[in-house]
């Protein structure tokens, strides 16, 4: 089998490349080596056994060349995070995906399956269990509510405060960030195309993925990387809301294995599937755990800031993933230990988050409790 891994130089993609090679696949990587993520160019972990094409998913010629002779496409290339560019999100994620699918269809390439990286960000909010109405799916918390400092999630039926519970795939999608919108575009476009063409496809809704090779240059990258680089640079982590918001944090090797399982099993075909750890961790506890490993006292900066459209609490229900043989193997403590061992060996660590904070506030991506509309 021959695979094309778009974004194959990145966090998830590079680990997937390693796994595919170990399983005897031929692997081709298409990656534009975005400078914000790959400041020094091609990273050292790119395997010589894989074929690298430096190209962009927005370039029809690069796509046509990269797709020749490919059996399975793992489409991981994306523009992500809370970056301020709006048009680029849609151009890379939405249009780039559509262009890739058009190329496969119109050139009648013998691709057997497409796996697309979606995200838990597509959900409006994590599921909650109302004392009266059971499991319900709240919408996005209103910005006016967040401006009062009320970060709670309530039952959409009766307004009762309701604790978080695992979110299944049948929860409504409707994430309220530009990134979330484009991720919803990607998965719906791929699954619709699959039904039209008869080529199997799977959309994997990844939880917050972390681990070795997460970019140390990208200031918008995952929370674990941001907290770690700040603490190593002598800065305290900035925490939005009150720090009690929770995330399902999944180790990158588990996510890579989920991609392979989706490719070799037909039980996932035509579906969107949650891929996560199935365990909730508060953002404040993540900061404390990193500080514990580094031997640094954590005094987080809590300014009463929040990001409109942010999910308060989301833990992935991974029942559907387990049906194809998926099981997370690395818990948060072991995963953070592995990440810290890697980043401490890189020799190049700087706090890049501090330089973008003002811009996020200026553009309204980050707002303050008590601010005017």
């Amino acid at each position: 089998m021959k695979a094309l891994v778009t974004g194959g130089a990145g966090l998830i993609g590079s680990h997937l490349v390693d796994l595919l090679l170990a399983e005897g696949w031929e692997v081709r990587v298409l990656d534009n080596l975005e400078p914000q993520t790959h400041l020094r160019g091609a990273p050292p972990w790119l395997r010589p056994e894989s074929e690298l094409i430096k190209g962009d998913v927005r370039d029809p010629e690069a796509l046509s060349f990269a797709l020749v002779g490919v059996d399975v496409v793992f489409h991981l290339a994306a523009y992500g995070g809370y970056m301020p560019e709006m048009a680029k999100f849609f151009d890379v994620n939405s249009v780039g995906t559509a262009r890739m699918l058009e190329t496969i269809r119109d050139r009648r390439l013998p691709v057997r399956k497409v796996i697309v990286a979606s995200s838990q960000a597509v959900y409006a909010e994590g599921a909650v269990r109302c004392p009266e109405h059971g499991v319900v799916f709240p919408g996005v918390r209103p910005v006016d509510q967040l401006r009062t400092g009320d970060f709670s999630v309530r039952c959409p039926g009766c307004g009762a405060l309701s604790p978080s519970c695992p979110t299944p795939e049948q929860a409504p999608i409707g994430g309220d960030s530009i990134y979330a919108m484009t991720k919803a575009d990607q998965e719906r476009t791929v699954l619709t195309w699959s039904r039209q063409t008869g080529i199997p496809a799977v959309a994997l809704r990844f939880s917050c993925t972390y681990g070795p090779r997460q970019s140390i240059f990208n200031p918008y990258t995952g929370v674990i990387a941001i907290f770690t680089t700040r603490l190593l640079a002598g800065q305290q982590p900035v925490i939005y809301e009150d720090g009690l918001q929770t995330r399902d944090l999944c180790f990158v090797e588990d996510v890579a294995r989920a991609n392979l399982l989706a490719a070799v099993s037909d039980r996932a075909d035509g579906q969107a599937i949650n891929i996560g750890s199935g365990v909730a961790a508060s953002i404040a506890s993540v900061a404390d755990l990193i500080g514990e490993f580094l031997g640094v006292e954590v005094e987080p900066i809590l300014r009463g800031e929040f990001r409109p459209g942010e999910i308060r609490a989301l833990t992935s229900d991974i029942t559907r993933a387990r049906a194809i043989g998926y099981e997370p193997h690395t818990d948060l403590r072991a995963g953070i230990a592995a990440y810290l061992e890697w980043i401490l060996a890189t020799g190049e660590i700087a706090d890049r988050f501090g330089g973008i904070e003002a811009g996020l506030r200026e553009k309204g991506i980050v707002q303050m409790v008590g601010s005017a509309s």
Side-chain angles (χ1 to χ4, degrees):
M1 296 286 283
K2 185 164 189 172
L4 172 65
V5 182
T6 70
L11 171 63
I12 300 172
S14 66
H15 284 274
L16 175 59
V17 168
D18 289 352
L19 178 59
L20 291 170
L21 290 171
E23 293 290 323
W25 291 54
E26 292 181 57
V27 181
R28 178 180 292 152
V29 169
L30 176 66
D31 201 301
N32 70 349
L33 301 178
E34 174 81 39
Q36 186 160 250
T37 298
H38 302 289
L39 185 63
R40 303 284 184 255
W45 51 77
L46 275 174
R47 296 281 293 273
E49 307 97 305
S50 64
E51 176 189 0
L52 172 64
I53 297 174
K54 185 179 178 182
D56 198 298
V57 293
R58 294 169 290 179
D59 179 357
E61 290 188 10
L63 280 171
S64 296
F65 185 69
L67 286 162
V68 171
V70 167
D71 298 297
V72 178
V73 176
F74 297 91
H75 184 40
L76 306 179
Y79 199 57
Y82 274 80
M83 290 175 254
E85 298 92 341
M86 296 174 66
K88 190 171 181 178
F89 275 108
F90 287 101
D91 195 24
V92 175
N93 300 353
S94 303
V95 178
T97 299
R99 186 166 286 124
M100 181 190 73
L101 299 175
E102 280 184 341
T103 302
I104 296 170
R105 182 196 65 194
D106 296 348
R107 293 181 177 265
R108 303 190 181 203
L109 299 174
V111 171
R112 302 185 191 183
K113 182 175 280 192
V114 174
I115 313 296
V116 64
S118 185
S119 168
Q120 65 174 15
V122 301
Y123 296 115
E125 179 58 62
V128 298
R129 190 177 299 277
C130 171
E132 181 178 352
H133 297 105
V135 176
V136 292
F137 306 111
V140 176
R141 294 171 295 163
V143 175
D144 287 346
Q145 172 191 326
L146 300 177
R147 287 193 180 118
T148 69
D150 178 2
F151 305 125
S152 64
V153 179
R154 300 174 182 272
C155 171
C158 66
L161 289 171
S162 301
S164 174
C165 65
T167 301
E169 289 86 353
Q170 62 264 34
I173 64 174
D176 206 17
S177 70
I178 302 300
Y179 173 70
M181 294 175 197
T182 62
K183 280 291 156 182
D185 281 350
Q186 282 186 288
E187 72 166 63
R188 292 176 67 183
T189 302
V190 168
L191 295 179
T192 298
W193 171 89
S194 173
R195 290 189 292 270
Q196 292 172 346
T197 62
I199 299 172
V202 184
L204 299 180
R205 292 176 179 167
F206 299 151
S207 296
C208 299
T209 305
Y210 72 98
R213 305 177 186 170
Q214 190 151 36
S215 177
I216 59 173
F217 306 116
N218 190 340
Y220 304 94
T221 193
V223 64
I224 289 175
I226 292 172
F227 285 179
T228 300
T229 53
R230 281 188 65 82
L231 287 169
L232 288 172
Q235 303 293 321
Q236 290 297 322
V238 175
I239 293 182
Y240 298 128
E241 300 193 15
D242 55 8
L244 301 181
Q245 64 271 39
T246 62
R247 290 293 178 270
D248 185 327
L249 295 152
C250 195
F251 192 63
V252 64
E253 291 179 0
D254 290 330
V255 174
R257 191 168 55 255
N259 278 268
L260 177 59
L261 289 167
V264 301
S265 171
D266 60 6
R267 299 185 66 181
D269 292 356
Q271 300 182 73
I273 298 182
N274 290 336
I275 302 298
S277 70
V279 178
S282 75
I283 295 301
S285 71
V286 171
D288 288 341
L289 184 55
I290 296 169
E292 176 190 331
F293 276 116
L294 295 177
V296 176
E297 185 174 350
V298 175
E299 297 178 0
I301 299 169
L302 289 153
R303 305 189 186 103
E305 293 177 311
F306 63 90
R307 296 187 293 200
E310 184 86 331
I311 294 171
R312 175 65 173 178
L314 196 148
T315 307
S316 294
D317 182 335
I318 55 176
T319 303
R320 189 178 288 183
R322 283 182 163 130
I324 64 169
Y326 170 77
E327 194 66 41
H329 292 164
T330 304
D331 65 21
L332 184 60
R333 191 173 189 89
I336 288 179
Y339 173 71
L340 293 176
E341 180 181 6
W342 172 80
I343 196 171
L344 289 169
T346 65
E348 183 174 1
I349 299 166
D351 167 35
R352 299 176 186 271
F353 176 77
I356 64 164
E357 281 194 280
L360 294 177
R361 295 189 201 101
E362 180 185 349
K363 292 175 172 64
I365 296 168
V366 171
Q367 298 186 22
M368 179 73 74
V369 169
S371 62
S373 59

